[in-house]
Amino acid sequence: MSNIPFIIIAITVILYIIISIRRDKLSVAASFGWIIFCLLMFFFAIFPTSLDNLAFSLGISYPPTLFLTICIVVLFVSNFRDDKTIDELKKKVDDLSQEVSILKGEKNDKK
Amino acid sequence: MKLRVLVIIPAHNEAESIEGVLRDILHELKSVDILVVNDCSTDETVEKIQKFDKNIKILNNPFNLGYALSIQTGIKYAARHDYDFVIQMDADGQHLALEAKKLLDACVEKKADIVIGSRFKKNTGYKSPFFRRFGTKLFEGMIRIFTGKTIKDPLTGFQCLNRRTIDYYAIPGNYPEYPDAGLLIEMLMKKYKIVEVPVKMKQREAGVSMHAGFIQPIKYMITQLYTCVIIFIKFIGRTK
C-alpha cells in the first residue's frame, strides 16, 4: 500500500509526457529518458523487493537510499545536459543576431 | 598594395563622446573605414553618427549583445569584407587615434597577429582605479605562469588584429564575454604573435564603465580567474 503514491506519480508523469508529445510540446527524443525513469519507478513500486535486492547486492543496507540516489543522479545529469543545451542555443542565438546586424547593415549600404 | 583597415567601435549609449572619437579617427587615420556597432543605444548615438558623417558604417544589434559580442559582430563584418587589419577602439574617448596608428604600424612592421595598446609597458601617467590595477597585476602574473610571456596590460580593449586573428575571432564561440586575459592565454598557447606597444590613454570622457560598481569587478575577477585556468587546461599540449 505504501507504494501507491509512487505508482500514481509514475502513471501521472507518463500520461503528462504522452499528452505533451501529442500536443507537440515535447519531442519524442527528449521524452525518452523521462519515460524510462518513470517506468523504472513504476517497476520498483510494483515489485519493491527487486529494489531491496538490488540495494543489498550493492551493499546498501537501507534500500530507499538507493532510490533517492538514483533520483539525484538522474536530476543532476538532466540539469547538466540542460545547461549544455542552453549554452549551445545561446551561442546560436548570438551568432544569428550578429548575422542579422551585418545583413541589415549591408542592405542599408546597397540602398 | 593598399592595406584595408577597419576601425571597430562598439557603442552603447555613447552620444556624449562618439562625435569626438570619430573626429579624432578621421583626423589621424586617413584611409581607414569606420564601423560602429550600435548595441541598442537608447540615446542619440546613432543620430549623432549619421549627422556627423554619412560614410561611417553602422551595424545595429537586434537586441543588447554586450561589449564582446558587439566587437565580434564587427570582426565578422571585417572577415566578410576582406579587411587586412582591424583596430578595436572604445567609444568613450579613452583610446586615441594617434596611438591607434602606432598599433597598426607595429602590426605591419613586426608581423604581429595581435598588437596591444599598453598603458603600463612604460609609465604614461595613466591612473586607473584600485580594482583595475589589482586585476592587471593578477592577470599579468597568471599569463606569465601559464605561458611564460609577459603582457603588462592584459585588460585593455585597445588592440590591432591581423587577418589571421580576424578569421579566428570571427568563428562563433571563439570570442568570449570577457576578451581579456583568458583569450590572451589561448592565443599565446596557439602560438599567435602578440606584441605590446606603449600608448597614452585618456580617462573616460562620458558614460559609465561596464566594470563600474562593486559587484561587477568581483564577478569579473572570479570569471576571469576561472577562465584562465580552464583555458590553460583546455589548450595545454595543443597548438591548433
Side-chain angles (χ1 to χ4, degrees):
Chain A
M1 283 298 280
S2 61
N3 294 330
I4 286 176
F6 288 106
I7 295 172
I8 293 170
I9 291 169
I11 291 173
T12 310
V13 176
I14 288 171
L15 284 175
Y16 181 69
I17 291 169
I18 290 168
I19 291 167
S20 299
I21 293 170
R22 283 169 63 87
R23 289 181 182 167
D24 280 336
K25 301 274 184 198
L26 186 72
S27 71
V28 175
S31 69
F32 182 74
W34 290 111
I35 290 279
I36 296 291
F37 180 64
C38 290
L39 288 175
L40 270 177
M41 192 199 274
F42 188 71
F43 177 81
F44 286 135
I46 289 182
F47 306 107
T49 50
S50 57
L51 183 68
D52 295 352
N53 292 336
L54 185 63
F56 294 139
S57 66
L58 291 171
I60 299 167
S61 54
Y62 185 57
T65 312
L66 176 64
F67 179 71
L68 290 174
T69 308
I70 292 170
C71 287
I72 290 167
V73 169
V74 167
L75 292 175
F76 184 81
V77 170
S78 158
N79 202 305
F80 184 70
R81 278 181 52 188
D82 286 351
D83 271 358
K84 264 177 69 182
T85 310
I86 290 168
D87 217 37
E88 280 164 20
L89 289 174
K90 192 189 169 300
K91 223 183 264 178
K92 284 178 187 169
V93 170
D94 288 343
D95 193 33
L96 279 174
S97 48
Q98 288 176 323
E99 197 71 17
V100 168
S101 319
I102 293 170
L103 288 174
K104 269 186 179 171
E106 286 173 348
K107 199 176 152 195
N108 283 341
D109 286 348
K110 279 179 190 166
K111 274 181 189 173
Chain B
M1 199 179 78
K2 197 185 158 217
L3 296 173
R4 297 190 68 220
V5 182
L6 181 69
V7 177
I8 299 172
I9 308 169
H12 175 72
N13 292 344
E14 303 283 4
E16 283 180 52
S17 56
I18 193 78
E19 223 178 299
V21 172
L22 296 174
R23 188 173 289 114
D24 185 32
I25 295 170
L26 288 175
H27 184 253
E28 298 292 345
L29 300 160
K30 302 287 179 206
S31 53
V32 300
D33 290 335
I34 303 173
L35 174 75
V36 178
V37 184
N38 171 39
D39 198 18
C40 293
S41 296
T42 50
D43 62 2
E44 291 178 331
T45 303
V46 174
E47 289 79 4
K48 286 211 170 173
I49 299 165
Q50 284 168 338
K51 215 190 261 181
F52 179 74
D53 189 336
K54 285 215 156 48
N55 291 322
I56 290 167
K57 293 178 179 67
I58 305 171
L59 297 182
N60 294 296
N61 289 340
F63 52 87
N64 194 276
L65 287 174
Y67 176 79
L69 285 170
S70 296
I71 290 180
Q72 199 192 29
T73 305
I75 290 171
K76 283 183 179 183
Y77 182 91
R80 225 168 141 121
H81 290 82
D82 285 326
Y83 280 94
D84 300 303
F85 296 95
V86 151
I87 299 172
Q88 295 169 209
M89 286 178 78
D90 287 353
D92 56 14
Q94 281 192 73
H95 302 158
L96 305 168
L98 187 66
E99 303 294 309
K101 220 170 170 178
K102 285 188 198 167
L103 303 190
L104 182 62
D105 290 345
C107 212
V108 177
E109 285 161 17
K110 295 182 180 172
K111 292 193 167 53
D113 294 306
I114 300 166
V115 176
I116 297 171
S118 175
R119 292 160 286 189
F120 308 118
K121 181 121 174 135
K122 278 183 188 165
N123 187 8
T124 55
Y126 184 85
K127 290 199 170 36
S128 50
F130 169 76
F131 260 122
R132 187 166 276 273
R133 277 201 314 274
F134 176 70
T136 302
K137 281 280 164 209
L138 179 71
F139 294 119
E140 182 195 332
M142 289 205 83
I143 292 172
R144 196 178 308 126
I145 290 167
F146 288 143
T147 67
K149 302 269 169 34
T150 302
I151 304 280
K152 286 274 181 195
D153 193 359
L155 307 185
T156 180
F158 194 25
Q159 297 183 1
C160 181
L161 317 173
N162 72 354
R163 181 70 209 198
R164 185 182 174 215
T165 313
I166 292 169
D167 286 338
Y168 183 75
Y169 284 172
I171 297 168
N174 274 8
Y175 203 74
E177 185 186 354
Y178 296 121
D180 300 329
L183 185 61
L184 291 176
I185 290 175
E186 177 178 338
M187 301 312 277
L188 285 167
M189 290 181 82
K190 283 175 167 282
K191 310 285 180 217
Y192 278 65
K193 187 177 177 185
I194 301 180
V195 170
E196 258 190 305
V197 171
V199 292
K200 281 183 190 151
M201 269 190 216
K202 285 203 290 183
Q203 299 294 334
R204 158 180 277 275
E205 282 179 359
V208 183
S209 163
M210 63 190 253
H211 298 305
F214 184 70
I215 302 293
Q216 272 306 106
I218 293 174
K219 185 191 160 205
Y220 171 80
M221 291 271 199
I222 294 169
T223 313
Q224 271 300 299
L225 278 173
Y226 172 76
T227 307
C228 289
V229 175
I230 294 296
I231 288 288
F232 177 71
I233 293 168
K234 184 178 172 185
F235 289 101
I236 191 163
R238 278 165 60 174
T239 49
K240 285 184 179 176

